[in-house]
Amino acid sequence: MALYQCSMSIIIQGLTKIYGTQKAVNDISLSINKGEIVGFLGPNGAGKSTTMKIITGYLAADAGTASVCGIDVAKNPIATKKKIGYLPEANPLYYDMYVREYLAFIAGVHSVPNVKDAVEKVITLTGLTLESRKKTGQLSKGYKQRVGLAAALIHSPEVLILDEPTSGLDPNQIIEIRNVIKEQGKDKTVLFSSHILQEVEAICDRIIIINKGKIVADDRLRNLTGNKPSNNVVIELQEVVDESIFEGMSIPRKASAAKWIFTTDNPEILRKQLMEIVMKHNLNIVSLHNEININLEDVFRHVTQTK
């Protein structure tokens, strides 16, 4: 039997998936090392879930290759699935099965030794103890997500693929599951997708952003959101004004009652336009400056906005 080393956990090269005339995934390549927690971001329809499904073997690529722990997904899908714990966006549960019964079933599918101990371990890990004697169909959405995460973890996989794992959780549950994911990331590889950018910033070491099937950003979080100028110009006034006062300019984002944020490719010209508006309407400026230390939301908006 071949022994697979998992130092480079995920490698995809030239990956392409086409639906009709649309390239859902368009010739993308990336690699993820063991021990990385990677945030995989993009607008709806960008290709995130399709890419995850190809990595896990649930979809076949039209071109390119994907490998997990050195195993080609297309050539050896069963061996690949043994290495992966997968929580898809549409969490598939058997609603007529009890939580413990369902997790025992999943453990059996993976030929987990000592099923009872494995079930108890993931129930404790994911905070399911109080709900564990209910049927999965009786659970709230948040607890259903916990069951899905427990099922992904029960066979102690080396790679975790989590598609919107905190969907439906309340703030306290989000923090608990965040801590579980961070703990798992110490000795596993985690590819984590979410629309909640604050969660990604709290959990992930590295960010990959996909847009229209293409990777548009791939870097460490600290590099993407480091101490560098953004294309945002911030103006704060003493007076509260309506957005209509900025007619003809780029659409601003309201940060507070009298503070507005503009995104522009030419901050110098925009600052001059703002000064003209201030003088025309006899307003008083508290501050006018280029925004520094961009956050992940700013990065996301910049690289995915329609050109």
Side-chain angles (χ1 to χ4, degrees):
M1 182 181 292
L3 295 176
Y4 298 101
Q5 299 300 318
C6 205
S7 57
M8 186 69 75
S9 295
I10 299 172
I11 300 175
I12 64 177
Q13 296 178 321
L15 207 64
T16 300
K17 183 66 180 178
I18 302 172
Y19 296 110
T21 58
Q22 180 187 2
K23 286 187 176 180
V25 179
N26 188 1
D27 190 26
I28 68 171
S29 299
L30 60 88
S31 60
I32 301 174
N33 294 314
K34 182 178 181 179
E36 283 192 292
I37 303 180
V38 177
F40 194 38
L41 310 180
N44 290 330
K48 302 186 302 298
S49 293
T50 298
T51 302
M52 289 177 156
K53 288 175 181 176
I54 292 172
I55 294 171
T56 56
Y58 283 83
L59 277 180
D62 292 315
T65 61
S67 64
V68 176
C69 297
I71 312 169
D72 189 297
V73 174
K75 293 178 180 177
N76 205 338
I78 299 300
T80 302
K81 288 178 172 65
K82 291 179 180 179
K83 298 287 185 179
I84 296 173
Y86 178 39
L87 175 59
E89 184 176 11
N91 183 7
L93 299 174
Y94 293 113
Y95 285 178
D96 287 335
M97 296 181 76
Y98 291 92
V99 171
R100 291 174 186 274
E101 180 187 14
Y102 173 73
L103 293 175
F105 167 70
I106 298 297
V109 170
H110 287 287
S111 301
V112 173
N114 203 334
V115 169
K116 185 176 180 181
D117 285 353
V119 169
E120 293 303 320
K121 181 179 177 181
V122 293
I123 281 175
T124 301
L125 184 65
T126 55
L128 279 167
T129 303
L130 294 177
E131 305 291 316
S132 63
R133 302 197 180 277
K134 292 182 179 179
K135 288 185 176 181
T136 59
Q138 296 174 317
L139 301 178
S140 67
K141 184 177 180 182
Y143 277 104
K144 287 185 176 101
Q145 285 297 99
R146 290 181 185 229
V147 174
L149 181 58
L153 291 168
I154 199 161
H155 59 297
S156 298
E158 296 175 59
V159 176
L160 280 176
I161 309 289
L162 307 175
D163 197 354
E164 301 287 344
T166 56
S167 174
L169 303 183
D170 65 39
N172 291 330
Q173 292 175 328
I174 286 175
I175 292 171
E176 291 170 9
I177 296 303
R178 176 201 300 173
N179 292 335
V180 171
I181 294 170
K182 289 179 75 172
E183 187 65 27
Q184 292 297 311
K186 291 179 179 179
D187 59 3
K188 301 183 190 300
T189 301
V190 181
L191 184 61
F192 170 84
S193 171
S194 177
H195 284 105
I196 307 172
L197 298 186
Q198 296 92 332
E199 282 310 296
V200 176
E201 288 182 300
I203 294 173
C204 300
D205 309 312
R206 173 181 162 198
I207 306 297
I208 298 172
I209 303 177
I210 187 171
N211 188 42
K212 298 180 180 178
K214 285 279 193 181
I215 292 175
V216 292
D218 181 358
D219 207 339
R220 312 300 292 181
L221 177 62
R222 62 177 176 270
N223 293 335
L224 287 172
T225 61
N227 188 24
K228 50 188 176 184
S230 74
N231 285 344
N232 286 345
V233 173
V234 182
I235 185 168
E236 186 172 3
L237 304 168
Q238 287 185 2
E239 299 83 3
V240 176
V241 299
D242 187 79
E243 182 182 316
S244 60
I245 198 173
F246 304 116
E247 185 178 0
M249 303 177 65
S250 61
I251 299 173
R253 174 160 49 96
K254 193 170 185 179
S256 65
K259 185 175 181 180
W260 300 84
I261 301 173
F262 296 79
T263 300
T264 177
D265 291 329
N266 198 323
E268 185 176 349
I269 289 177
L270 190 137
R271 286 198 303 271
K272 289 180 180 178
Q273 291 174 329
L274 289 171
M275 286 300 300
E276 290 173 0
I277 289 173
V278 166
M279 294 174 65
K280 177 181 178 181
H281 295 277
N282 197 28
L283 301 173
N284 296 287
I285 293 179
V286 175
S287 66
L288 175 62
H289 61 274
N290 277 36
E291 192 174 49
I292 303 295
N293 292 324
I294 59 178
N295 59 32
L296 186 55
E297 180 182 346
D298 295 319
V299 174
F300 183 90
R301 286 164 59 89
H302 176 68
V303 300
T304 63
Q305 64 187 356
T306 303
K307 300 294 184 182

